[in-house]
Amino acid sequence: AETSSSYSTPDSAKAEKQVDAEEKEASSTTAIYTTSKGKSESKPSEQYPDKSTKVVAVTSSSKKEASDVGSPKTTKKNVRKSFQSSSPSSSKAPIKHYRTPYVAGNWKMNPITLSGAESLANLIGAATKALKRDRPDLPDVKIGVVPPFPYIGIVKDLTMGTGLKIGAQDLYWEEKGAYTGAVSPAMLKSLGVDFVLCGHSERRSEFMDNDKDVNRKVKAALDAGLDVVLCIGETQEEYKAGLVEHVTALQLAKGLSGVPTREAVNHITIAYEPVWAIGTGLTATPKIAQKTHKAIRKWLKGRFGKEASERIPIQYGGSVTPETATKLMSMPDIDGALVGGASLSADKFQSIFSAAALTANEKLNKMSAGETDEPKTVKSDQDLISQEDNYWDLTEEVQNLSLEKKEVNSKLRDAREKKEGVAAKESGDPSLSATPPSSSSSSSSSSSACADHER
């Protein structure tokens, strides 16, 4: 069982020290980023029809003392619970812009019965409505659930009027046809689905979705008017080999290839889910998660411009619990959570999205107190920095990143052989010694290790 102060990652202590050192170095330098296409230019507001200027203003009188979020019993008779305040351990990094927190619960292949899905939907819907009704002083939180396909319609009906968003776990990019077992974007739209997950690691690993497939699904969903949660993340082997930023950049480049800036700003959410943390009980520490989220936002800045990158939410996913949620979402670049197992408990899920509201309130209070050197206004669409043609074709970048395939595979192979060599030395068994694999086996092993990302 996890506690509020326990986070576990592969070699987490060493990683924490590395993050601290990098943060110290970064604090003494100023990095200037430019786009690959050169000078950027502003675009007319009609290119971004879905969002308008949002001014964040919080008065000092709205500040509240905070204490830990609890997780009281949730029942139909007791949805008017009192939401306790929270005092998260916030990062000292400045909050650049306020983004509405987004917490989504991925039910995966659960519950196993319709009655179970109905019960869960009723409880979560009531809790969502209760938060918005009983704590109007807190910032808005976008809350969603992602039930299995057979339950989507009934969950949508049962939660109507609660403010709960309904998502789908996957789709197929064709509109219709002889595709047995597939579900089209138009079908989901007709059911009232609001958003869809694309690229979840379980779809990549269990169903062999590659990055080309993910990109097709992203664009098909956007064309149908659905919002997208694009899931990215590295395996444990890639994490230990120090390839986190390379893997996430490649998945972003391929997954968002051909997506216009206006679509990314208004309809895309990124969900960073380290594969080694999904369903394992392992959770990245807040500092380690923030480091990756910051790198993701840096990539978004290079692709879509500074203002656009500041408006795109980035969720954290991977064994998120009520005990870890508050500190994770207190980080400046973590804008919510994609929750797995904990979303199957109305109590736990309620605690997590309540924590999102409370940490958002604290971020806003920091902004109103002047604890950031960034403006308190999210600029209007016409002020967004965008590229010359506003429609990204990342073919060239994908090709350039793919040129590093040999280097990536080599690092993974070296790490694997080093591990085997240590095991052989400790056991004294010469058969375990790390010998260079043949070219065919090396290629097969490397291809398997990197199959999910098609590098």
Side-chain angles (χ1 to χ4, degrees):
E2 295 188 62
T3 64
S4 59
S5 61
S6 66
Y7 295 84
S8 180
T9 66
D11 303 321
S12 58
K14 181 179 179 181
E16 283 281 10
K17 291 182 180 179
Q18 181 180 353
V19 172
D20 288 336
E22 291 176 356
E23 287 180 348
K24 183 176 181 181
E25 179 181 356
S27 66
S28 62
T29 61
T30 300
I32 300 177
Y33 305 104
T34 57
T35 62
S36 59
K37 291 193 176 183
K39 185 177 180 181
S40 58
E41 61 177 320
S42 299
K43 295 292 179 181
S45 60
E46 56 266 21
Q47 290 188 350
Y48 305 95
D50 299 329
K51 290 189 177 181
S52 58
T53 303
K54 180 175 182 180
V55 178
V56 176
V58 180
T59 62
S60 58
S61 61
S62 68
K63 297 181 182 179
K64 292 182 176 293
E65 286 296 323
S67 58
D68 291 337
V69 177
S71 56
K73 179 72 174 178
T74 303
T75 65
K76 290 183 180 179
K77 295 181 180 179
N78 184 30
V79 295
R80 292 186 63 87
K81 56 169 286 184
S82 61
F83 292 91
Q84 297 175 327
S85 298
S86 167
S87 58
S89 175
S90 301
S91 168
K92 293 181 180 180
I95 306 299
K96 294 184 177 181
H97 286 294
Y98 176 73
R99 292 172 292 273
T100 300
Y102 187 5
V103 177
N106 181 13
W107 292 2
K108 304 188 179 183
M109 201 166 68
N110 300 289
I112 61 174
T113 65
L114 177 58
S115 61
E118 290 174 334
S119 176
L120 184 57
N122 280 326
L123 292 174
I124 293 177
T128 301
K129 190 174 182 178
L131 174 62
K132 298 177 183 297
R133 178 190 63 219
D134 297 342
R135 291 302 303 268
D137 57 305
L138 293 178
D140 187 36
V141 176
K142 187 176 178 180
I143 305 169
V145 293
V146 194
F149 288 133
Y151 304 150
I152 287 176
I154 189 65
V155 171
K156 180 72 176 181
D157 291 341
L158 290 173
T159 59
M160 193 74 69
T162 64
L164 192 67
K165 302 293 184 182
I166 305 299
Q169 298 177 15
D170 192 36
L171 53 66
Y172 191 60
W173 54 81
E174 295 291 348
E175 182 178 356
K176 61 181 180 179
Y179 304 103
T180 302
V183 176
S184 73
M187 293 176 182
L188 297 177
K189 191 68 177 177
S190 70
L191 286 172
V193 168
D194 301 296
F195 67 98
V196 62
L197 306 183
C198 293
H200 193 281
S201 65
E202 289 157 3
R203 296 298 311 179
R204 295 176 188 261
S205 61
E206 299 296 328
F207 298 94
M208 304 305 162
D209 281 7
N210 57 44
D211 287 305
K212 184 177 180 180
D213 296 333
V214 173
N215 180 245
R216 286 180 173 180
K217 293 179 179 184
V218 168
K219 291 190 286 189
L222 293 173
D223 288 344
L226 296 166
D227 288 349
V228 170
V229 176
L230 174 61
C231 304
I232 62 173
E234 79 285 355
T235 65
Q236 183 170 347
E237 188 175 30
E238 290 162 340
Y239 174 87
K240 290 186 173 181
L243 300 172
V244 177
E245 292 187 19
H246 176 90
V247 170
T248 53
L250 186 56
Q251 290 175 329
L252 286 166
K254 290 188 173 184
L256 295 176
S257 178
V259 174
T261 302
R262 62 181 178 275
E263 295 284 3
V265 169
N266 292 315
H267 302 294
I268 294 285
T269 295
I270 306 300
Y272 168 60
E273 294 192 296
V275 179
W276 48 266
I278 299 175
T280 64
L282 298 174
T283 305
T285 67
K287 281 188 176 182
I288 293 174
Q290 165 59 22
K291 177 187 176 184
T292 304
H293 279 235
K294 184 177 180 180
I296 292 170
R297 202 168 301 284
K298 174 183 173 182
W299 186 93
L300 294 171
K301 178 182 177 181
R303 284 290 137 262
F304 302 117
K306 183 178 185 297
E307 296 298 334
S309 71
E310 291 295 343
R311 291 175 59 168
I312 298 175
I314 307 175
Q315 300 172 320
Y316 173 80
S319 298
V320 177
T321 68
E323 292 77 24
T324 61
T326 298
K327 289 185 178 180
L328 283 166
M329 288 187 287
S330 296
M331 297 292 105
D333 288 299
I334 298 180
D335 308 314
L338 182 56
V339 186
S343 68
L344 299 175
S345 164
D347 300 331
K348 293 179 179 179
F349 191 54
Q350 181 182 30
S351 292
I352 292 170
F353 65 66
S354 299
L358 293 163
T359 54
N361 192 52
E362 179 145 329
K363 288 180 179 181
L364 286 172
N365 287 339
K366 287 178 66 177
M367 293 176 70
S368 68
E371 295 181 26
T372 171
D373 54 2
E374 295 288 335
K376 298 182 178 65
T377 301
V378 176
K379 294 185 179 180
S380 62
D381 294 317
Q382 65 183 6
D383 294 327
L384 285 172
I385 298 174
S386 57
Q387 303 307 321
E388 293 177 0
D389 57 4
N390 194 44
Y391 196 95
W392 276 96
D393 180 1
L394 302 181
T395 303
E396 183 177 350
E397 178 178 354
V398 170
Q399 290 174 345
N400 291 337
L401 288 169
S402 296
L403 291 176
E404 301 178 25
K405 177 179 178 180
K406 291 183 179 180
E407 179 183 353
V408 173
N409 290 343
S410 176
K411 287 184 178 180
L412 291 175
R413 185 166 59 252
D414 290 346
R416 198 179 303 117
E417 291 173 358
K418 182 178 180 180
K419 182 177 179 181
E420 291 172 354
V422 172
K425 185 176 181 180
E426 292 178 348
S427 65
D429 184 353
S431 66
L432 296 178
S433 61
T435 56
S438 64
S439 60
S440 61
S441 63
S442 171
S443 174
S444 175
S445 175
S446 299
S447 176
S448 175
C450 300
D452 288 350
H453 314 300
E454 273 209 333
R455 290 189 290 277

